Amino acid sequence: MKRDGIKNFAYIGFSDAWGDLVYNGAQKPAEADGMKILTNERYARTDTSVTGQVLKIMATKPDAVLLGGSATQGALPPLTLAERGYKGPLYGTPALLNADFIRVGGKAVEGVLVSAGPVIVAEQLPDSHFSKKISLDFRAAYQKANGMPTTDGFSAYSFDAWLVFLDAAKRAMATAKPGTPEFRTALKNAIFTTKDLIGTHAIYNFKPGESYGVDERSLVLVRLVDGKWKYEP
């Protein structure tokens, strides 16, 4: 948003913990970059209309709108915004990386800019990117095992968790026997000493008390163009 010259933006998201997470996560960066959040509109995942919320957003004349929904219901605000004549940019989170969001949103969600794990656009990444080779290998293995391509980031999250486990288990087995309490302790300790493990989504480095294990390398920007996610360097 800062790069795009956004000075203020409206927010609309789910009226639950996910909606809170996105809104709260936007506050500090927005403040640090001199941007103002004009609205904090919410809707339930089961709602069929957000007309009231969108009218409030339109009244503020925002430079942009941040979407805090996901999947099919994540398309409801963009659809309503389009109906009301909104022409400004839309921004979102990885929760929108879903085939149903694209199918339901149609033209209303074209151009939305989303942060994503690099595996989502693996074939578009430069050859030097850490994720490209392992992500393409993962996709090929997924296709072979399931007879269909992976369309979101969740299967890749699971794959990365498996890689973390294998890496830690190998090191834990050097000090304890599998199946024992000592091994479980060694496995936990090994996970928290994971260093520079390359996965599809990130390069993992865990420390006690810091369980995310990722940094900014775990995200890329992707824009929805003609119904497909396009990598934005």
Side-chain angles (χ1 to χ4, degrees), residues 1-2 6-9 29-37:
M1 287 183 174
K2 182 179 180 181
I6 302 301
K7 301 298 183 183
N8 60 67
F9 61 94
E31 183 179 339
D33 287 331
M35 286 181 280
K36 185 177 181 181
I37 304 179

Side-chain angles (χ1 to χ4, degrees), residues 63-197:
D63 290 344
V65 175
L66 174 62
L67 305 172
S70 67
T72 305
Q73 286 300 98
L76 187 56
L79 286 167
T80 309
L81 284 163
E83 289 172 359
R84 296 291 167 174
Y86 176 75
K87 302 293 185 182
L90 298 172
Y91 296 85
T93 74
L96 300 181
L97 298 168
N98 183 282
D100 284 337
F101 171 77
I102 299 172
R103 176 182 58 82
V104 173
K107 291 184 178 180
V109 297
E110 275 288 305
V112 62
L113 190 66
V114 174
S115 56
V119 64
I120 298 297
V121 287
E123 71 285 348
Q124 302 175 44
L125 297 173
D127 291 342
S128 59
H129 197 285
F130 76 85
S131 176
K132 185 165 188 173
K133 183 180 185 305
I134 192 170
S135 291
L136 292 177
D137 289 346
F138 161 70
R139 284 189 181 181
Y142 186 99
Q143 176 79 40
K144 182 178 180 180
N146 297 283
M148 59 186 296
T150 175
T151 58
D152 57 40
F154 291 103
S155 54
Y157 287 135
S158 300
F159 178 74
D160 282 4
W162 179 67
L163 292 179
V164 170
F165 169 77
L166 285 182
D167 175 70
K170 185 188 298 182
R171 289 181 284 119
M173 287 175 66
T175 60
K177 183 179 180 180
T180 65
E182 291 78 13
F183 179 77
R184 289 191 288 274
T185 299
L187 181 61
K188 180 192 71 174
N189 293 338
I191 288 174
F192 279 119
T193 56
T194 298
K195 184 174 177 60
D196 293 336
L197 178 67

